[in-house]
């Protein structure tokens, strides 16, 4: 039998940490706790069709959108998994208006965690891929005190780590800690994330474009022209390109990360800032794509340079192959 070499996420994190002589192990502990939450959410997503967890809670989230039960489950699960590890001083979630405080006893960590507990939740009922997105910063407030809003509102280039989990045909966790992008597939039999995508580099060029074309009428004329250009026939540039749009940003992003392409959620006349949230969606994928050799802009500037003004701010995004 051929010898199989496999590397678990836990071991990979430790190996990576060994490369940094001053590392305290705190970030490793944090990523480990996150992976545990991901496993529990994955399990719940997989059985969503079997238990009475489908359907709306009846509430709206802070953005006035309908919230599904699984969003709340994932939100709660992340808080339960993360608030007593001693690695964090504060958290923020797409599903909660204000910052999330860490109980005083555990409020000693030097890191800040922001997350979109469940991305693509409109797809839950249809068994279409959804995901969890996270972003980690070093605190800027004094150690030993409760974390603050200022800790959460940092520019994306200051992220220490970022990643996501896609609950798809298999569950995959992809993360970067600023040293390449690595993907781990969950083996459902023994519940471990195993390294499956080492040092992901996104293709420099590709033929995939991803955008909600239903919004065409509301787009800027320049964008209309660009999309039309992608659809024109031209042998030399390989056009027409091919459209792919799931409606779960993180699943669209993941596919394009591997195959190359561009994902767009632009501003339009109805949504002048686009739809996606800077802190929970755009910054983490921008960090990852840059680590994978791609780019992320809002149309004018690099996503990672945007100075955040509030926790739930939306920004237009164009992300993908160079
Ligand atoms: P969420 O489920 O976290 O609210 O995010 C939904 C987002 C994103 O995942 C997706 O790309 C986008 O909404 C789809 O929006 P449209 O339906 O407007 O295309
Ligand atoms: Mn989302
Ligand atoms: Mn969400």
């Amino acid at each position: 039998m051929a010898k199989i070499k496999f590397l678990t996420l836990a071991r990979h994190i430790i190996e990576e940490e060994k490369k940094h002589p001053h590392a305290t192990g705190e970030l490793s502990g944090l990523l480990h706790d996150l992976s545990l939450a991901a496993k529990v959410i994955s399990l719940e997503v997989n059985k969503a069709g079997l238990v009475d967890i489908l359907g709306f809670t009846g509430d709206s989230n802070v953005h006035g959108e309908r919230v599904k039960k699984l969003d709340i489950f994932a939100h709660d699960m992340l808080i339960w998994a993360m608030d007593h590890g001693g690695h964090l001083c504060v958290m923020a979630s797409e599903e909660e208006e204000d910052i999330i405080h860490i109980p005083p006893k555990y409020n000693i960590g030097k890191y800040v965690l922001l997350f979109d507990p469940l991305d693509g939740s409109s797809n839950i009922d249809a068994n279409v891929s959804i995901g969890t997105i996270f972003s980690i910063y070093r605190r800027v407030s004094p150690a030993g005190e409760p974390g603050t809003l200022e800790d959460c509102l940092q520019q994306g280039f200051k992220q220490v780590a970022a990643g996501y989990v896609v609950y798809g045909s298999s569950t995959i966790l992809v993360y970067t800690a600023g040293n390449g992008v690595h993907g781990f597939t969950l083996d459902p039999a023994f519940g471990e994330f195993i390294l499956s995508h080492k040092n992901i580099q996104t293709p420099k060029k590709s033929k995939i474009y991803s955008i909600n074309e239903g919004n065409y009428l509301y787009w800027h004329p320049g964008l209309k022209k660009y999309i039309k250009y992608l659809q024109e026939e031209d042998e030399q540039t390989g056009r027409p390109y091919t459209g792919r749009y799931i409606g779960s940003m993180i699943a669209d992003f993941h596919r394009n990360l591997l195959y190359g392409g561009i994902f767009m959620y632009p501003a339009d006349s109805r949504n002048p800032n686009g739809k996606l949230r800077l802190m929970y969606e755009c910054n983490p994928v921008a960090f990852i794509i840059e680590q994978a050799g791609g780019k992320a802009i809002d149309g004018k500037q690099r996503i990672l340079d945007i100075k955040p003004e509030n926790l739930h701010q939306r920004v237009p995004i164009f992300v993908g192959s160079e």
Side-chain angles (χ1 to χ4, degrees):
M1 196 178 109
K3 205 169 150 196
I4 301 168
K5 279 192 188 155
F6 61 86
L7 190 60
T8 63
L9 173 64
R11 221 183 95 209
H12 176 88
I13 293 170
I14 292 167
E15 302 278 320
E16 283 296 304
E17 187 141 69
K18 279 191 203 150
K19 296 178 187 165
H20 302 277
H22 305 297
T24 58
E26 235 181 285
L27 185 62
S28 302
L30 176 74
L31 289 168
H32 182 264
D33 290 354
L34 267 170
S35 74
L36 182 64
K39 287 180 201 175
V40 181
I41 298 168
S42 176
L43 200 67
E44 206 61 23
V45 167
N46 286 157
K47 67 182 190 199
L50 301 170
V51 292
D52 180 32
I53 198 155
L54 287 178
F56 298 107
T57 55
D59 297 331
S60 294
N61 69 9
V62 291
H63 314 285
E65 293 156 349
R66 287 185 299 176
V67 177
K68 297 224 162 177
K69 283 183 184 172
L70 214 47
D71 293 49
I72 298 308
F73 176 86
H75 169 85
D76 290 344
M77 185 48 60
L78 279 158
I79 294 176
W80 294 335
M82 304 309 300
D83 76 352
H84 60 281
H87 311 303
L88 296 173
C89 65
V90 66
M91 291 187 275
S93 162
E94 186 205 66
E95 296 296 344
E96 193 148 329
E97 181 117 39
D98 295 320
I99 57 171
I100 301 164
H101 293 289
I102 306 288
K105 202 168 145 196
Y106 305 107
N107 190 4
I108 46 173
K110 63 177 178 210
Y111 291 109
V112 178
L113 174 69
L114 294 98
F115 54 87
D116 177 353
L118 217 54
D119 178 67
S121 40
S122 70
N123 280 321
I124 294 172
D125 287 356
N127 269 25
V128 174
S129 298
I130 48 180
T132 296
I133 315 171
F134 60 88
S135 167
I136 299 167
Y137 293 86
R138 207 166 272 117
R139 73 182 301 171
V140 290
S141 60
E145 284 174 27
T148 63
L149 180 61
E150 203 197 344
D151 288 317
C152 296
L153 290 183
Q154 300 190 51
Q155 280 162 289
F157 71 82
K158 294 187 178 156
Q159 287 172 104
V160 174
Y164 60 83
V165 186
V166 173
Y167 313 104
S169 49
S170 54
T171 293
I172 183 165
L173 185 153
V174 174
Y175 88 99
T176 183
N179 196 14
V181 180
H182 312 286
F184 301 80
T185 302
L186 182 63
D187 185 314
F190 52 91
E192 283 279 8
F193 281 105
I194 309 292
L195 182 65
S196 51
H197 298 70
K198 197 178 171 186
N199 206 5
I200 302 171
Q201 283 292 303
T202 198
K204 291 280 173 220
K205 256 177 106 66
S206 157
K207 295 179 70 166
I208 296 176
Y209 74 98
S210 312
I211 188 166
N212 184 345
E213 297 200 55
N215 294 328
Y216 181 85
L217 202 64
Y218 310 106
W219 291 345
H220 185 276
L223 182 65
K224 287 182 179 171
K225 261 173 89 178
Y226 172 59
I227 300 298
K228 270 283 157 277
Y229 167 84
L230 299 181
Q231 297 168 344
E232 280 162 15
E233 209 169 29
D234 180 56
E235 218 171 293
Q236 218 183 349
T237 51
R239 287 175 290 143
Y241 286 7
T242 185
R244 292 280 185 279
Y245 191 75
I246 297 172
S248 292
M249 184 271 264
I250 204 58
D252 278 307
F253 174 82
H254 179 65
R255 179 203 52 241
N256 291 6
L257 176 71
L258 298 180
Y259 297 172
I262 179 168
F263 174 91
M264 298 164 262
Y265 211 108
D268 64 39
S269 58
R270 288 190 305 180
N271 302 297
N273 299 314
K275 178 178 186 188
L276 301 181
R277 294 85 174 169
L278 175 62
M279 304 314 290
Y280 314 110
E281 292 164 324
C282 301
N283 271 334
V285 299
F287 187 20
I288 293 166
I289 202 73
E290 287 199 4
Q291 282 289 315
K295 280 202 159 88
I297 57 169
D298 69 356
K300 294 194 178 90
Q301 60 173 326
R302 187 180 171 226
I303 294 282
L304 295 180
D305 286 336
I306 298 174
K307 284 204 178 83
E309 278 157 19
N310 65 70
L311 269 183
H312 298 286
Q313 135 181 24
R314 298 167 194 266
V315 292
I317 185 167
F318 302 81
V319 55
S321 297
E322 213 175 64

